Amino acid sequence: MPQYSEGQLFQAAQDVRVLRWPVEVQELEQLRRRGILRLLVVENGATPPVPSDSREDWIRAPVSRADFAARVAALRARAGTHRIPVLDQDGLLRYGTRMVPVSPTQMNLLQPLVERYGTLVARHELIALLRDRRGTASQNALDLHIMRIRRKVVCLGLRVRTASGRGYLLESSD
């Protein structure tokens, strides 16, 4: 089975950043914040990381082109075929080619929803974020903010789903 260098593999997946684990851990943190798809190549018998969201996966070196292609395809599929929301520091939520401005409070609440796109974010975690920002928070205050976020994200093709009593998840409405 032929083996390929990291450079050769990178050519095959231009939308997916390939990083060496654990050597490039600092760059990994930056890519996580930016919502970029990431495939970690675990080297030298290192313990693989636990992927933090659907935009990250790992594979152990050395890797064949077929295994690499399969892992990249699975990563793209889990991440919603390249359409992943990104929340930038300027308060813009982007999804695909569309974007919408969000308030600082909405940005604070959206951060974990975007970081864990497609997975549940606990209600108590979002209330804690409101408390940190405003000093006090209630379930009603969170409900009001979530309602406003829902109205904003619908034009992007996104929705916020409720898991009754447990939390919320951000997902595509397509």
Side-chain angles (χ1 to χ4, degrees):
M1 172 178 347
Q3 301 297 316
Y4 294 88
S5 72
E6 183 180 331
Q8 290 170 311
L9 292 174
F10 183 72
Q11 299 295 324
Q14 294 178 359
D15 62 325
V16 176
R17 292 295 303 270
V18 178
L19 300 170
R20 293 170 37 227
W21 175 265
V23 175
E24 297 178 306
V25 70
Q26 289 180 336
E27 185 176 349
L28 175 61
E29 291 306 318
Q30 294 170 359
L31 296 174
R32 282 177 175 162
R33 285 191 294 274
R34 292 173 43 209
I36 294 173
L37 296 176
R38 310 161 301 275
L39 182 61
L40 309 176
V41 178
V42 178
E43 298 179 325
N44 301 324
T47 302
V50 176
S52 61
D53 63 37
S54 63
R55 293 167 282 203
E56 185 174 301
D57 204 350
W58 63 269
I59 193 164
R60 192 168 298 281
V63 58
S64 71
R65 183 173 285 276
D67 288 348
F68 178 82
R71 195 57 64 102
V72 167
L75 181 60
R76 287 176 177 152
R78 278 196 318 272
T81 58
H82 314 313
R83 291 184 43 160
I84 299 167
V86 175
L87 186 61
D88 67 24
Q89 293 109 339
D90 297 324
L92 293 174
L93 178 63
R94 301 171 191 272
Y95 185 66
T97 59
R98 296 173 268 176
M99 68 180 151
V100 65
V102 296
S103 73
T105 300
Q106 291 168 346
M107 191 170 155
N108 206 29
L109 293 172
L110 276 165
Q111 190 67 44
L113 291 165
V114 168
E115 286 174 357
R116 292 181 261 167
Y117 180 65
T119 59
L120 186 72
V121 176
R123 186 175 183 82
H124 67 83
E125 189 176 334
L126 296 172
I127 289 173
L129 288 172
L130 271 180
R131 234 178 242 124
D132 290 346
R133 182 158 182 82
R134 299 189 170 260
T136 61
S138 67
Q139 290 189 9
N140 288 341
L142 178 61
D143 292 341
L144 180 63
H145 287 292
I146 293 294
M147 178 191 71
R148 290 176 179 156
I149 289 170
R150 281 188 170 120
R151 289 180 183 165
K152 285 223 174 180
V153 302
V154 73
C155 68
L156 299 176
L158 294 170
R159 69 178 172 193
V160 177
R161 283 196 24 204
T162 303
S164 187
R166 293 181 306 164
Y168 302 92
L169 64 107
L170 182 65
E171 65 182 7
S172 172
S173 59
D174 299 334

